PDB file of all heavy atoms in Angstrom:
ATOM      1  N   VAL A 117       4.270  24.475-106.471  1.00 94.00           N
ATOM      2  CA  VAL A 117       5.061  23.277-106.723  1.00 94.00           C
ATOM      3  C   VAL A 117       6.433  23.693-107.378  1.00 94.00           C
ATOM      4  O   VAL A 117       6.418  24.397-108.402  1.00 94.00           O
ATOM      5  CB  VAL A 117       4.328  22.273-107.655  1.00 94.00           C
ATOM      6  CG1 VAL A 117       5.245  21.062-107.961  1.00 94.00           C
ATOM      7  CG2 VAL A 117       3.036  21.850-106.978  1.00 94.00           C
ATOM      8  N   THR A 118       7.510  23.297-106.778  1.00 93.00           N
ATOM      9  CA  THR A 118       8.839  23.665-107.303  1.00 93.00           C
ATOM     10  C   THR A 118       9.585  22.437-107.687  1.00 93.00           C
ATOM     11  O   THR A 118       9.402  21.340-107.202  1.00 93.00           O
ATOM     12  CB  THR A 118       9.621  24.430-106.226  1.00 93.00           C
ATOM     13  OG1 THR A 118       9.768  23.609-105.073  1.00 93.00           O
ATOM     14  CG2 THR A 118       8.925  25.710-105.803  1.00 93.00           C
ATOM     15  N   LEU A 119      10.489  22.608-108.645  1.00 92.00           N
ATOM     16  CA  LEU A 119      11.344  21.580-109.205  1.00 92.00           C
ATOM     17  C   LEU A 119      12.783  22.000-109.105  1.00 92.00           C
ATOM     18  O   LEU A 119      13.155  23.090-109.541  1.00 92.00           O
ATOM     19  CB  LEU A 119      10.952  21.307-110.635  1.00 92.00           C
ATOM     20  CG  LEU A 119      11.861  20.351-111.512  1.00 92.00           C
ATOM     21  CD1 LEU A 119      11.768  18.967-110.948  1.00 92.00           C
ATOM     22  CD2 LEU A 119      11.493  20.400-112.945  1.00 92.00           C
ATOM     23  N   ASN A 128      14.185  16.884-107.421  1.00 94.00           N
ATOM     24  CA  ASN A 128      13.365  17.063-106.240  1.00 94.00           C
ATOM     25  C   ASN A 128      12.055  17.787-106.564  1.00 94.00           C
ATOM     26  O   ASN A 128      12.149  18.893-107.163  1.00 94.00           O
ATOM     27  CB  ASN A 128      14.119  17.804-105.151  1.00 94.00           C
ATOM     28  CG  ASN A 128      15.304  17.012-104.650  1.00 94.00           C
ATOM     29  OD1 ASN A 128      15.311  15.800-104.489  1.00 94.00           O
ATOM     30  ND2 ASN A 128      16.434  17.754-104.340  1.00 94.00           N
ATOM     31  N   LEU A 129      10.962  17.267-106.188  1.00 95.00           N
ATOM     32  CA  LEU A 129       9.680  17.912-106.333  1.00 95.00           C
ATOM     33  C   LEU A 129       9.167  18.319-104.975  1.00 95.00           C
ATOM     34  O   LEU A 129       9.066  17.443-104.045  1.00 95.00           O
ATOM     35  CB  LEU A 129       8.661  17.027-106.992  1.00 95.00           C
ATOM     36  CG  LEU A 129       9.000  16.501-108.422  1.00 95.00           C
ATOM     37  CD1 LEU A 129       7.889  15.660-108.949  1.00 95.00           C
ATOM     38  CD2 LEU A 129       9.287  17.674-109.349  1.00 95.00           C
ATOM     39  N   THR A 130       8.842  19.565-104.748  1.00 95.00           N
ATOM     40  CA  THR A 130       8.421  20.055-103.451  1.00 95.00           C
ATOM     41  C   THR A 130       7.055  20.768-103.633  1.00 95.00           C
ATOM     42  O   THR A 130       6.899  21.633-104.432  1.00 95.00           O
ATOM     43  CB  THR A 130       9.413  21.051-102.773  1.00 95.00           C
ATOM     44  OG1 THR A 130      10.675  20.409-102.748  1.00 95.00           O
ATOM     45  CG2 THR A 130       8.944  21.408-101.390  1.00 95.00           C
ATOM     46  N   TRP A 145       1.727  13.500-102.340  1.00 95.00           N
ATOM     47  CA  TRP A 145       2.096  13.310-103.760  1.00 95.00           C
ATOM     48  C   TRP A 145       1.506  12.060-104.246  1.00 95.00           C
ATOM     49  O   TRP A 145       1.385  10.996-103.518  1.00 95.00           O
ATOM     50  CB  TRP A 145       3.669  13.270-103.903  1.00 95.00           C
ATOM     51  CG  TRP A 145       4.310  14.590-103.882  1.00 95.00           C
ATOM     52  CD1 TRP A 145       4.993  15.173-102.883  1.00 95.00           C
ATOM     53  CD2 TRP A 145       4.395  15.488-104.977  1.00 95.00           C
ATOM     54  NE1 TRP A 145       5.394  16.325-103.246  1.00 95.00           N
ATOM     55  CE2 TRP A 145       5.117  16.557-104.563  1.00 95.00           C
ATOM     56  CE3 TRP A 145       3.931  15.440-106.295  1.00 95.00           C
ATOM     57  CZ2 TRP A 145       5.406  17.677-105.368  1.00 95.00           C
ATOM     58  CZ3 TRP A 145       4.184  16.520-107.124  1.00 95.00           C
ATOM     59  CH2 TRP A 145       4.943  17.609-106.690  1.00 95.00           C
ATOM     60  N   ILE A 176       9.471  14.924-102.644  1.00 95.00           N
ATOM     61  CA  ILE A 176       9.848  13.610-103.139  1.00 95.00           C
ATOM     62  C   ILE A 176      11.031  13.736-104.115  1.00 95.00           C
ATOM     63  O   ILE A 176      11.272  14.830-104.622  1.00 95.00           O
ATOM     64  CB  ILE A 176       8.680  12.873-103.860  1.00 95.00           C
ATOM     65  CG1 ILE A 176       8.165  13.722-105.043  1.00 95.00           C
ATOM     66  CG2 ILE A 176       7.557  12.587-102.870  1.00 95.00           C
ATOM     67  CD1 ILE A 176       7.127  13.058-105.897  1.00 95.00           C
ATOM     68  N   ILE A 178      12.600  11.901-107.560  1.00 94.00           N
ATOM     69  CA  ILE A 178      12.193  10.986-108.638  1.00 94.00           C
ATOM     70  C   ILE A 178      13.215  11.087-109.769  1.00 94.00           C
ATOM     71  O   ILE A 178      14.025  12.048-109.837  1.00 94.00           O
ATOM     72  CB  ILE A 178      10.815  11.273-109.178  1.00 94.00           C
ATOM     73  CG1 ILE A 178      10.786  12.733-109.818  1.00 94.00           C
ATOM     74  CG2 ILE A 178       9.763  11.176-108.089  1.00 94.00           C
ATOM     75  CD1 ILE A 178       9.538  13.073-110.499  1.00 94.00           C
ATOM     76  N   GLU A 182      10.395  12.132-115.471  1.00 91.00           N
ATOM     77  CA  GLU A 182       9.127  11.539-115.080  1.00 91.00           C
ATOM     78  C   GLU A 182       8.259  12.543-114.304  1.00 91.00           C
ATOM     79  O   GLU A 182       7.303  12.113-113.596  1.00 91.00           O
ATOM     80  CB  GLU A 182       9.362  10.266-114.276  1.00 91.00           C
ATOM     81  CG  GLU A 182      10.114   9.205-115.002  1.00 91.00           C
ATOM     82  CD  GLU A 182      10.225   7.915-114.201  1.00 91.00           C
ATOM     83  OE1 GLU A 182       9.624   7.863-113.090  1.00 91.00           O
ATOM     84  OE2 GLU A 182      10.938   6.986-114.628  1.00 91.00           O
ATOM     85  N   GLU A 183       8.579  13.843-114.400  1.00 91.00           N
ATOM     86  CA  GLU A 183       7.870  14.821-113.550  1.00 91.00           C
ATOM     87  C   GLU A 183       6.398  14.843-113.810  1.00 91.00           C
ATOM     88  O   GLU A 183       5.570  15.042-112.893  1.00 91.00           O
ATOM     89  CB  GLU A 183       8.505  16.191-113.777  1.00 91.00           C
ATOM     90  CG  GLU A 183       9.932  16.334-113.348  1.00 91.00           C
ATOM     91  CD  GLU A 183      10.885  15.926-114.468  1.00 91.00           C
ATOM     92  OE1 GLU A 183      10.381  15.496-115.507  1.00 91.00           O
ATOM     93  OE2 GLU A 183      12.133  16.071-114.257  1.00 91.00           O
ATOM     94  N   GLN A 184       5.984  14.680-115.101  1.00 91.00           N
ATOM     95  CA  GLN A 184       4.586  14.850-115.421  1.00 91.00           C
ATOM     96  C   GLN A 184       3.677  13.689-114.965  1.00 91.00           C
ATOM     97  O   GLN A 184       2.487  13.787-115.061  1.00 91.00           O
ATOM     98  CB  GLN A 184       4.424  15.000-116.935  1.00 91.00           C
ATOM     99  CG  GLN A 184       5.235  16.219-117.506  1.00 91.00           C
ATOM    100  CD  GLN A 184       4.862  17.459-116.859  1.00 91.00           C
ATOM    101  OE1 GLN A 184       3.701  17.733-116.583  1.00 91.00           O
ATOM    102  NE2 GLN A 184       5.914  18.282-116.535  1.00 91.00           N
ATOM    103  N   ARG A 185       4.333  12.644-114.446  1.00 91.00           N
ATOM    104  CA  ARG A 185       3.522  11.546-113.918  1.00 91.00           C
ATOM    105  C   ARG A 185       3.125  11.741-112.456  1.00 91.00           C
ATOM    106  O   ARG A 185       2.359  10.992-111.923  1.00 91.00           O
ATOM    107  CB  ARG A 185       4.314  10.245-114.030  1.00 91.00           C
ATOM    108  CG  ARG A 185       4.741   9.870-115.417  1.00 91.00           C
ATOM    109  CD  ARG A 185       5.586   8.574-115.421  1.00 91.00           C
ATOM    110  NE  ARG A 185       4.847   7.481-114.784  1.00 91.00           N
ATOM    111  CZ  ARG A 185       5.382   6.327-114.409  1.00 91.00           C
ATOM    112  NH1 ARG A 185       6.683   6.122-114.641  1.00 91.00           N
ATOM    113  NH2 ARG A 185       4.682   5.379-113.800  1.00 91.00           N
ATOM    114  N   PHE A 186       3.588  12.832-111.851  1.00 94.00           N
ATOM    115  CA  PHE A 186       3.349  13.049-110.432  1.00 94.00           C
ATOM    116  C   PHE A 186       2.506  14.307-110.266  1.00 94.00           C
ATOM    117  O   PHE A 186       2.629  15.291-111.052  1.00 94.00           O
ATOM    118  CB  PHE A 186       4.668  13.203-109.646  1.00 94.00           C
ATOM    119  CG  PHE A 186       5.470  11.937-109.606  1.00 94.00           C
ATOM    120  CD1 PHE A 186       6.320  11.571-110.624  1.00 94.00           C
ATOM    121  CD2 PHE A 186       5.331  11.083-108.508  1.00 94.00           C
ATOM    122  CE1 PHE A 186       7.033  10.369-110.575  1.00 94.00           C
ATOM    123  CE2 PHE A 186       6.063   9.945-108.470  1.00 94.00           C
ATOM    124  CZ  PHE A 186       6.931   9.562-109.475  1.00 94.00           C
ATOM    125  N   MET A 187       1.671  14.295-109.199  1.00 93.00           N
ATOM    126  CA  MET A 187       0.807  15.452-108.951  1.00 93.00           C
ATOM    127  C   MET A 187       0.642  15.596-107.437  1.00 93.00           C
ATOM    128  O   MET A 187       0.520  14.590-106.713  1.00 93.00           O
ATOM    129  CB  MET A 187      -0.546  15.259-109.631  1.00 93.00           C
ATOM    130  CG  MET A 187      -1.465  16.460-109.614  1.00 93.00           C
ATOM    131  SD  MET A 187      -2.911  16.236-110.669  1.00 93.00           S
ATOM    132  CE  MET A 187      -2.180  16.128-112.276  1.00 93.00           C
ATOM    133  N   CYS A 188       0.612  16.852-106.980  1.00 95.00           N
ATOM    134  CA  CYS A 188       0.402  17.140-105.574  1.00 95.00           C
ATOM    135  C   CYS A 188      -1.067  17.323-105.255  1.00 95.00           C
ATOM    136  O   CYS A 188      -1.715  18.151-105.895  1.00 95.00           O
ATOM    137  CB  CYS A 188       1.221  18.401-105.137  1.00 95.00           C
ATOM    138  SG  CYS A 188       0.982  18.881-103.419  1.00 95.00           S
ATOM    139  N   HIS A 199      -2.450  19.677-108.072  1.00 92.00           N
ATOM    140  CA  HIS A 199      -1.500  20.639-108.618  1.00 92.00           C
ATOM    141  C   HIS A 199      -0.390  19.884-109.334  1.00 92.00           C
ATOM    142  O   HIS A 199       0.438  19.210-108.733  1.00 92.00           O
ATOM    143  CB  HIS A 199      -0.915  21.493-107.450  1.00 92.00           C
ATOM    144  CG  HIS A 199      -1.948  22.171-106.606  1.00 92.00           C
ATOM    145  ND1 HIS A 199      -2.478  23.418-106.952  1.00 92.00           N
ATOM    146  CD2 HIS A 199      -2.598  21.769-105.555  1.00 92.00           C
ATOM    147  CE1 HIS A 199      -3.355  23.779-106.074  1.00 92.00           C
ATOM    148  NE2 HIS A 199      -3.481  22.770-105.181  1.00 92.00           N
ATOM    149  N   PRO A 200      -0.344  19.994-110.673  1.00 91.00           N
ATOM    150  CA  PRO A 200       0.680  19.247-111.446  1.00 91.00           C
ATOM    151  C   PRO A 200       2.038  19.944-111.356  1.00 91.00           C
ATOM    152  O   PRO A 200       2.127  21.148-110.917  1.00 91.00           O
ATOM    153  CB  PRO A 200       0.102  19.265-112.858  1.00 91.00           C
ATOM    154  CG  PRO A 200      -0.708  20.551-112.924  1.00 91.00           C
ATOM    155  CD  PRO A 200      -1.299  20.705-111.522  1.00 91.00           C
ATOM    156  N   VAL A 201       3.035  19.288-111.826  1.00 87.00           N
ATOM    157  CA  VAL A 201       4.406  19.843-111.931  1.00 87.00           C
ATOM    158  C   VAL A 201       4.453  20.643-113.209  1.00 87.00           C
ATOM    159  O   VAL A 201       4.189  20.083-114.282  1.00 87.00           O
ATOM    160  CB  VAL A 201       5.440  18.733-111.872  1.00 87.00           C
ATOM    161  CG1 VAL A 201       6.835  19.368-111.945  1.00 87.00           C
ATOM    162  CG2 VAL A 201       5.303  17.893-110.611  1.00 87.00           C
ATOM    163  N   LEU A 202       4.875  21.918-113.102  1.00 78.00           N
ATOM    164  CA  LEU A 202       4.947  22.720-114.314  1.00 78.00           C
ATOM    165  C   LEU A 202       6.152  22.238-115.146  1.00 78.00           C
ATOM    166  O   LEU A 202       7.244  22.033-114.635  1.00 78.00           O
ATOM    167  CB  LEU A 202       5.131  24.169-113.918  1.00 78.00           C
ATOM    168  CG  LEU A 202       3.958  24.809-113.152  1.00 78.00           C
ATOM    169  CD1 LEU A 202       4.278  26.234-112.817  1.00 78.00           C
ATOM    170  CD2 LEU A 202       2.675  24.700-113.948  1.00 78.00           C
ATOM    171  N   SER A 203       5.955  22.115-116.438  1.00 60.00           N
ATOM    172  CA  SER A 203       7.006  21.679-117.295  1.00 60.00           C
ATOM    173  C   SER A 203       8.034  22.831-117.449  1.00 60.00           C
ATOM    174  O   SER A 203       7.679  24.019-117.514  1.00 60.00           O
ATOM    175  CB  SER A 203       6.451  21.258-118.697  1.00 60.00           C
ATOM    176  OG  SER A 203       5.751  22.345-119.266  1.00 60.00           O
ATOM    177  N   GLY A 204       9.274  22.452-117.510  1.00 50.00           N
ATOM    178  CA  GLY A 204      10.317  23.491-117.688  1.00 50.00           C
ATOM    179  C   GLY A 204      11.620  22.949-117.106  1.00 50.00           C
ATOM    180  O   GLY A 204      11.719  21.834-116.609  1.00 50.00           O
TER     181      GLY A 204
END
Side-chain angles (χ1 to χ4, degrees):
V117 177
T118 60
L119 171 66
N128 295 322
L129 300 181
T130 306
W145 279 101
I176 57 174
I178 62 172
E182 299 184 7
E183 296 86 357
Q184 301 307 316
R185 300 179 55 192
F186 293 84
M187 189 171 295
C188 177
H199 305 270
V201 180
L202 298 178
S203 59

